[in-house]
Amino acid sequence: MARKTPITVAYGDGIGPEIMEATLHIIKAAGARIEIEPVEVGEKVYLRGITAGIEPGAWESLRRTRVFLKAPITTPQGGGYKSLNVTTRTMFGLYANVRPCVAYYPFVKTLHPNMDVIIIRENEEDLYTGIEYRQTNDMVESLKLISRPGSEKIVRYAFEYARSHNRKKVTCFMKDNIMKLTDGLFHRVFSEIANEYPDISNETWIVDIGSAKLADTPEAFDVIVLPNLYGDILSDVAAQLAGSVGLAGSANIGDRCAMFEAIHGSAPRRAGQNIANPSGLLLATVMMLVHIDQPDVATLVHNAWLRTLEDGIHTYDIFTEGVSKQKAGTREFAEAVVARLGQEPEMLKPIYYTSAPEHISSEHVTITRAIEKKDLVGVDVFLDWRGGTPDELGETFKQVSGDDLELTMITNRGAKVWPQGMPETFCTDHWRCRFMSPIRGETVTHEQIIALLQRVANASFDFIKTENLYTFNDKIGYSLSQGE
Amino acid sequence: MARKTPITVAYGDGIGPEIMEATLHIIKAAGARIEIEPVEVGEKVYLRGITAGIEPGAWESLRRTRVFLKAPITTPQGGGYKSLNVTTRTMFGLYANVRPCVAYYPFVKTLHPNMDVIIIRENEEDLYTGIEYRQTNDMVESLKLISRPGSEKIVRYAFEYARSHNRKKVTCFMKDNIMKLTDGLFHRVFSEIANEYPDISNETWIVDIGSAKLADTPEAFDVIVLPNLYGDILSDVAAQLAGSVGLAGSANIGDRCAMFEAIHGSAPRRAGQNIANPSGLLLATVMMLVHIDQPDVATLVHNAWLRTLEDGIHTYDIFTEGVSKQKAGTREFAEAVVARLGQEPEMLKPIYYTSAPEHISSEHVTITRAIEKKDLVGVDVFLDWRGGTPDELGETFKQVSGDDLELTMITNRGAKVWPQGMPETFCTDHWRCRFMSPIRGETVTHEQIIALLQRVANASFDFIKTENLYTFNDKIGYSLSQGE
């Protein structure tokens, strides 16, 4: 008998314990060779004052098992609590969120019977690093971070996934007509890596019009790879278009750990009633079984589940008169799947798993990077100021320029307001003053920036943040202002 | 005879000139009391080397007329060109983008026959301020900015719009479970202002699950107000769900100016063939006629257009065998609308305009703001560093702390890596070091920050940016790290 694979299991909050029990019951009946290490996460842990929502001991278990099967949890409302999912993803480098969005027509209602889309969402970067600052009375800022290794990892994973799952096309969504540097980097990395996979076709869409296309014609897509925020929105849209968010599972794949979960929430109002649909968590568990190299069990479970669906045994959330044959509770649904282990669907396509996509390690990505020549050429100093008009600020602020750093422009919310601003531009109390060397192309030093900040402080201005301006291999590494 | 209203008109690129001619032909035939000031914008202007894509003289015209009717333009590919739309919106404070997304079933194919949603998108802030920096070899950053006055203006506009258009509900989409400060502000402002409109119901959705609901059941929504990026994606999704992006117009409303345009692009490959559908621009022009207080003409044109649609006279993009009766070119379609001026639709609901929604001025919003007590309590110093492990950085960097500012944590892409980081966390070359007073709750000074930066520079570190940490009325104005 094969050695059992230890997995870390969190039963979660709300409907979590019920659907986890149903799921584990099914996979054990199917012969899953696993050893469960239960850990506590979620609401109770938060309310004990642990803002990350996870006991320190749980990290130890995860370090050991490297596999995390997690039921939905409840994050209490109010300040101070961190998203456990975001924390887990970030701490363990779970860079890829994989969500199959598949239609099960005619057994589950959908307007898109032929939909079969895999959404691969970057999982660590973008606006989800959670770095935010309130800087003035008016203004709050959040940082969107996109890195080259982060982009390389997720794009490469998408192409490897496509290859190992016999998919034909990878599509990239981004918005680099507006975010030329951040989304521009994601786009460039996609194009570079796509070239290494001539057997898989590729295309790119600007996210707004691409999203419209997805909502209208999801069957036109195959694998979609995209940055975190777009992926967050569109994976939920795609799951809904396919049928129900309640049926979708997801995998979070990292270098040293992987987490599997349903995409729906903990639904506290449905808890304890034996009515919740375990399918989302079950399909996530099927992905886990593939990941821990038990494709035989994954195949058994997935096909038995498809057959149960086909046989019209449906939980309340997908129950439809005329289509469904029996309204099942959580436990009864699980028993129905167990009873069908070994059977295959007759109308829906059966699934045969072989192996997981090749693992993409960070190390592999890191060594491909070339280090570019970097030069400091200026600084943006941001101010909190309510003292008057942009022209008044410009005149006052020119005084602090000094011989070696020249005030070249002032913007408010990205719009140039000095020199030659438009009187119509509405100004908040959040100003950006750009300083560069008076000699075109000349580099500046950190000491010059420090001396500038000293002059700004001496003039009693509240500088709230700075952003250095760099060139990389003599290419400008900062955006121009609107109206520049 | 009434005085004519001057309007600034840009004929645009690609199919722009054709659909503009058709549109102007229709509204003149309907008796629009307008005087056209043509201006040049778009591709030709860009290629003349004007990165904003608009001639300086055009701004003068806009200042005079305050009304801009604009055909789609082509932005050349490649670096340096700024989005004209973003520039115009920002320079003239066009804070509200209004997009009706209406189904015209059965005359235009849609899966959502009863859809009638107004998307009101914040138009100036969020990631569209275009402030971006490449800071290290690995990392690029974009700033998301959300302001209280910006949020107040757009939310108030949405409720005023709902009231003047006899709408029953305003829905707000945001993501404040992750972006607690930025989207949290938008959510809070929404709740505050919703209280002032007891006659209109209100609701909020987290953007991911709200988007899924919109894609699945758009008829559940009425007016939706949302920050810029979500609005960009979802307004295109909604237009597509309603029928075709080719039929939708939009208004961009500001304090001192308003711009009206189709939501589709310039489609250069369709240009000069008399096939383009002028409906998007025409419906935008109807919104313009309401805006310049010619609701009589707007009503005439809109109903004649609906009747043309009903009569099955369709351009190629919406032509469907069995539904359409006559495939019309751009000019023929315009003539068909002109021939129906004075008629009303028989199956579709006729529209009767009265007046524009009350104007919301920035000044009004500004005076409601209370200035909160602000205290500087620390600083985040960001580094470009490839020297070793997080623990090594922590030990080295503790030396630069000094007596008055203490290193409290280091994060990489938002994840805490010192003290007590996880060895699994993948680290880029982009580090954030948080410094605060060693005495809990003590404020710090700008001079202390400057002295700290001097010590950082002396230790030969490349500090790439700083973000001050403030409290407002003693409430923390910065996020904690993941894992803190």
Side-chain angles (χ1 to χ4, degrees):
Chain A
M1 198 180 134
R3 203 177 62 80
K4 287 185 173 178
T5 303
I7 60 171
T8 302
V9 171
Y11 285 77
D13 302 314
I15 58 171
E18 294 163 74
I19 62 174
M20 183 60 84
E21 271 157 34
T23 294
L24 294 176
H25 175 62
I26 294 167
I27 66 166
K28 281 175 186 167
R33 302 170 291 278
I34 57 168
E35 194 166 300
I36 289 166
E37 294 192 7
V39 296
E40 212 182 344
V41 302
E43 195 168 27
K44 274 181 251 153
V45 182
Y46 281 120
L47 295 177
R48 242 178 261 148
I50 298 172
T51 56
I54 179 164
E55 288 286 0
W59 295 120
E60 289 313 313
S61 171
L62 277 176
R63 280 220 176 83
R64 238 182 346 260
T65 68
R66 300 180 166 210
V67 182
F68 190 13
L69 180 61
K70 180 179 147 295
I73 61 157
T74 304
T75 305
Q77 289 297 306
Y81 301 114
K82 311 296 290 186
S83 158
L84 170 61
N85 273 18
V86 176
T87 304
T88 313
R89 285 176 198 159
T90 313
M91 301 305 277
F92 280 100
L94 307 180
Y95 62 85
N97 180 238
V98 183
R99 291 203 197 177
C101 300
V102 184
Y104 303 103
Y105 186 83
F107 307 104
V108 178
K109 224 172 70 176
T110 174
L111 296 166
H112 307 284
N114 299 314
M115 180 169 179
D116 184 4
V117 176
I118 308 291
I119 304 267
I120 298 185
R121 163 187 172 192
E122 197 288 316
N123 219 5
E124 299 183 281
E125 308 196 331
D126 201 345
L127 288 157
Y128 293 70
T129 58
I131 306 179
E132 294 189 290
Y133 304 96
R134 180 172 174 193
Q135 300 174 316
T136 70
N137 202 66
D138 284 353
M139 189 65 78
V140 189
E141 172 196 83
S142 188
L143 302 188
K144 169 174 170 156
L145 298 178
I146 300 280
S147 80
R148 173 169 274 274
S151 303
E152 285 183 5
K153 275 198 289 186
I154 191 68
V155 170
R156 195 173 292 282
Y157 184 87
F159 278 96
E160 287 294 329
Y161 183 99
R163 192 175 267 172
S164 68
H165 284 71
N166 201 27
R167 298 267 174 171
K168 303 301 176 208
K169 185 173 70 174
V170 179
T171 302
C172 173
F173 281 11
M174 33 72 225
K175 181 85 192 169
D176 66 343
N177 55 336
I178 296 292
M179 284 160 274
K180 293 180 206 283
L181 297 188
T182 45
D183 285 18
L185 174 61
F186 197 86
H187 189 165
R188 203 159 57 248
V189 166
F190 178 80
S191 302
E192 287 169 15
I193 291 177
N195 281 337
E196 301 176 28
Y197 294 83
D199 50 320
I200 296 161
S201 65
N202 68 82
E203 61 176 6
T204 59
W205 288 79
I206 296 292
V207 64
D208 47 348
I209 195 71
S211 303
K213 177 80 178 169
L214 178 68
D216 186 64
T217 324
E219 50 279 5
F221 296 98
D222 192 345
V223 174
I224 304 178
V225 63
L226 62 194
N228 208 335
L229 178 65
Y230 312 142
D232 187 11
I233 296 175
L234 294 179
S235 56
D236 271 13
V237 168
Q240 190 74 52
L241 293 171
S244 164
V245 171
L247 297 182
S250 79
N252 292 278
I253 306 289
D255 292 335
R256 299 183 187 84
C257 189
M259 174 170 77
F260 302 87
E261 60 182 344
I263 73 168
H264 58 72
S266 59
R269 279 176 300 184
R270 309 281 184 201
Q273 299 166 56
N274 187 41
I275 59 171
N277 188 346
S279 298
L281 186 60
L282 184 66
L283 292 181
T285 307
V286 167
M287 297 167 85
M288 181 195 78
L289 291 166
V290 177
H291 179 81
I292 62 173
D293 205 26
Q294 300 189 15
D296 52 333
V297 188
T299 301
L300 265 182
V301 172
H302 202 147
N303 287 328
W305 178 81
L306 287 168
R307 181 59 178 267
T308 308
L309 216 59
E310 253 186 31
D311 287 349
I313 300 170
H314 294 168
T315 45
Y316 81 98
D317 54 313
I318 58 165
F319 190 87
T320 314
E321 284 303 340
V323 175
S324 308
K325 300 226 168 65
Q326 185 195 324
K327 191 179 281 183
T330 310
R331 281 189 294 272
E332 293 70 33
F333 182 82
E335 290 304 343
V337 177
V338 169
R340 283 162 183 78
L341 288 169
Q343 296 183 38
E344 288 189 350
E346 294 177 337
M347 273 187 65
L348 297 170
K349 220 172 72 182
I351 291 174
Y352 308 105
Y353 290 105
T354 48
S355 64
E358 197 195 307
H359 181 69
I360 311 304
S361 85
S362 303
E363 289 72 15
H364 172 69
V365 173
T366 311
I367 55 166
T368 67
R369 284 181 286 161
I371 306 297
E372 297 179 30
K373 177 171 82 81
K374 180 184 181 187
D375 290 303
L376 180 60
V377 298
V379 63
D380 283 353
V381 179
F382 290 70
L383 302 179
D384 179 351
W385 189 70
R386 283 187 303 271
T389 67
D391 279 343
E392 286 161 7
L393 181 61
E395 288 314 306
T396 313
F397 227 62
K398 261 165 58 183
Q399 312 305 317
V400 305
S401 290
D403 293 338
D404 55 347
L405 277 173
E406 184 179 41
L407 178 66
T408 62
M409 70 162 186
I410 301 175
T411 73
N412 196 296
R413 297 193 300 177
K416 193 185 76 175
V417 293
W418 184 94
Q420 289 151 353
M422 300 264 176
E424 290 85 356
T425 305
F426 172 69
C427 289
T428 66
D429 55 12
H430 189 266
W431 307 82
R432 173 176 59 151
C433 303
R434 174 160 290 179
F435 289 90
M436 305 191 77
S437 169
I439 302 154
R440 201 188 160 88
E442 187 100 322
T443 60
V444 306
T445 64
H446 288 81
E447 278 69 21
Q448 283 174 279
I449 291 174
I450 292 166
L452 170 69
L453 292 177
Q454 188 61 65
R455 293 194 296 274
V456 172
N458 291 346
S460 295
F461 281 98
D462 177 11
F463 65 83
I464 53 182
K465 64 171 280 178
T466 63
E467 297 274 2
N468 291 0
L469 308 177
Y470 293 99
T471 59
F472 290 82
N473 283 353
D474 302 317
K475 261 190 70 182
I476 285 176
Y478 48 90
S479 55
L480 303 175
S481 75
Q482 297 299 337
E484 200 175 2
Chain B
M1 197 179 138
R3 202 177 62 81
K4 288 185 172 180
T5 303
I7 60 172
T8 301
V9 170
Y11 284 77
D13 302 315
I15 59 170
E18 295 164 73
I19 62 175
M20 183 59 85
E21 271 158 32
T23 294
L24 295 176
H25 175 62
I26 294 167
I27 67 166
K28 281 175 185 165
R33 301 170 291 279
I34 56 169
E35 194 165 300
I36 290 167
E37 293 192 8
V39 296
E40 213 182 342
V41 302
E43 195 168 25
K44 273 181 252 157
V45 182
Y46 281 119
L47 296 177
R48 243 177 260 147
I50 298 172
T51 56
I54 180 165
E55 288 286 2
W59 295 120
E60 288 313 312
S61 171
L62 277 176
R63 283 221 173 81
R64 238 184 346 261
T65 67
R66 301 180 164 210
V67 182
F68 190 13
L69 181 61
K70 180 178 148 296
I73 62 157
T74 304
T75 306
Q77 289 296 305
Y81 301 113
K82 310 298 289 185
S83 157
L84 170 61
N85 273 17
V86 176
T87 305
T88 312
R89 286 176 197 161
T90 313
M91 302 305 278
F92 280 101
L94 306 179
Y95 62 85
N97 180 238
V98 182
R99 292 202 196 178
C101 301
V102 184
Y104 303 103
Y105 186 82
F107 307 104
V108 179
K109 222 172 70 175
T110 174
L111 296 166
H112 307 284
N114 299 315
M115 180 171 179
D116 184 4
V117 175
I118 309 290
I119 304 268
I120 298 185
R121 163 187 173 192
E122 198 287 315
N123 220 3
E124 299 181 282
E125 307 195 335
D126 201 345
L127 288 157
Y128 293 71
T129 59
I131 305 179
E132 292 189 291
Y133 304 95
R134 179 172 174 194
Q135 299 174 316
T136 70
N137 201 66
D138 284 353
M139 191 65 78
V140 189
E141 170 196 84
S142 187
L143 302 187
K144 167 171 170 157
L145 298 178
I146 300 281
S147 80
R148 172 167 275 274
S151 303
E152 286 184 4
K153 274 197 291 186
I154 192 67
V155 170
R156 195 172 292 283
Y157 184 87
F159 278 96
E160 287 294 329
Y161 184 98
R163 191 175 266 173
S164 68
H165 284 71
N166 201 28
R167 297 268 173 170
K168 303 301 175 209
K169 183 172 72 172
V170 179
T171 302
C172 173
F173 280 12
M174 34 71 223
K175 182 83 191 169
D176 65 344
N177 55 337
I178 297 291
M179 284 160 274
K180 293 179 205 284
L181 297 188
T182 46
D183 285 19
L185 174 61
F186 198 86
H187 189 164
R188 203 158 56 247
V189 166
F190 179 80
S191 302
E192 287 168 14
I193 291 177
N195 281 337
E196 300 176 28
Y197 295 82
D199 50 320
I200 296 162
S201 63
N202 68 82
E203 62 177 6
T204 58
W205 288 81
I206 297 292
V207 64
D208 47 348
I209 194 71
S211 303
K213 176 80 178 170
L214 177 69
D216 185 65
T217 322
E219 51 279 5
F221 295 98
D222 191 347
V223 174
I224 303 178
V225 63
L226 62 195
N228 207 337
L229 178 65
Y230 311 143
D232 187 11
I233 296 174
L234 294 179
S235 57
D236 271 12
V237 169
Q240 190 73 52
L241 292 171
S244 165
V245 171
L247 297 181
S250 79
N252 292 278
I253 307 290
D255 292 335
R256 301 185 185 83
C257 188
M259 174 170 76
F260 302 87
E261 60 183 345
I263 73 168
H264 59 72
S266 59
R269 280 176 299 185
R270 309 282 184 199
Q273 299 166 56
N274 187 42
I275 59 171
N277 188 346
S279 297
L281 187 60
L282 184 66
L283 291 180
T285 308
V286 167
M287 296 168 86
M288 181 194 80
L289 291 166
V290 177
H291 179 81
I292 63 174
D293 205 25
Q294 300 188 14
D296 53 333
V297 188
T299 301
L300 264 182
V301 171
H302 201 148
N303 287 327
W305 178 81
L306 287 169
R307 182 58 180 265
T308 307
L309 217 58
E310 252 186 28
D311 287 350
I313 299 169
H314 294 168
T315 44
Y316 81 99
D317 54 313
I318 59 166
F319 190 87
T320 314
E321 283 304 338
V323 175
S324 307
K325 301 226 169 63
Q326 185 193 325
K327 191 179 280 184
T330 312
R331 282 189 294 273
E332 294 70 34
F333 182 82
E335 290 305 342
V337 177
V338 168
R340 283 160 184 79
L341 287 168
Q343 297 182 38
E344 289 188 352
E346 293 178 336
M347 272 187 64
L348 297 169
K349 220 172 73 181
I351 290 174
Y352 308 104
Y353 290 104
T354 48
S355 63
E358 196 193 307
H359 180 69
I360 312 302
S361 84
S362 303
E363 290 73 15
H364 172 68
V365 172
T366 310
I367 54 167
T368 66
R369 283 181 286 162
I371 306 298
E372 296 178 30
K373 176 171 83 79
K374 180 185 181 187
D375 291 302
L376 180 59
V377 297
V379 64
D380 283 353
V381 178
F382 290 71
L383 302 179
D384 180 351
W385 190 69
R386 283 187 303 272
T389 67
D391 279 342
E392 287 161 7
L393 181 61
E395 289 313 305
T396 313
F397 226 63
K398 262 164 60 181
Q399 312 305 320
V400 305
S401 290
D403 294 337
D404 55 346
L405 277 174
E406 184 180 41
L407 179 66
T408 62
M409 70 163 186
I410 302 175
T411 73
N412 196 296
R413 297 194 299 179
K416 193 184 76 175
V417 293
W418 184 95
Q420 290 151 352
M422 301 265 177
E424 290 85 355
T425 306
F426 172 68
C427 290
T428 66
D429 56 11
H430 189 267
W431 306 81
R432 174 176 59 150
C433 303
R434 176 160 290 178
F435 289 91
M436 305 191 76
S437 169
I439 303 154
R440 203 188 158 88
E442 187 101 320
T443 60
V444 305
T445 65
H446 287 83
E447 277 70 20
Q448 283 174 278
I449 292 173
I450 292 166
L452 171 69
L453 291 177
Q454 187 62 63
R455 292 194 297 274
V456 172
N458 290 348
S460 295
F461 281 98
D462 177 10
F463 64 83
I464 54 182
K465 62 170 283 176
T466 64
E467 297 274 2
N468 291 359
L469 308 177
Y470 293 99
T471 60
F472 289 83
N473 283 354
D474 301 316
K475 261 191 69 181
I476 286 176
Y478 49 91
S479 55
L480 304 175
S481 76
Q482 298 297 337
E484 201 176 3

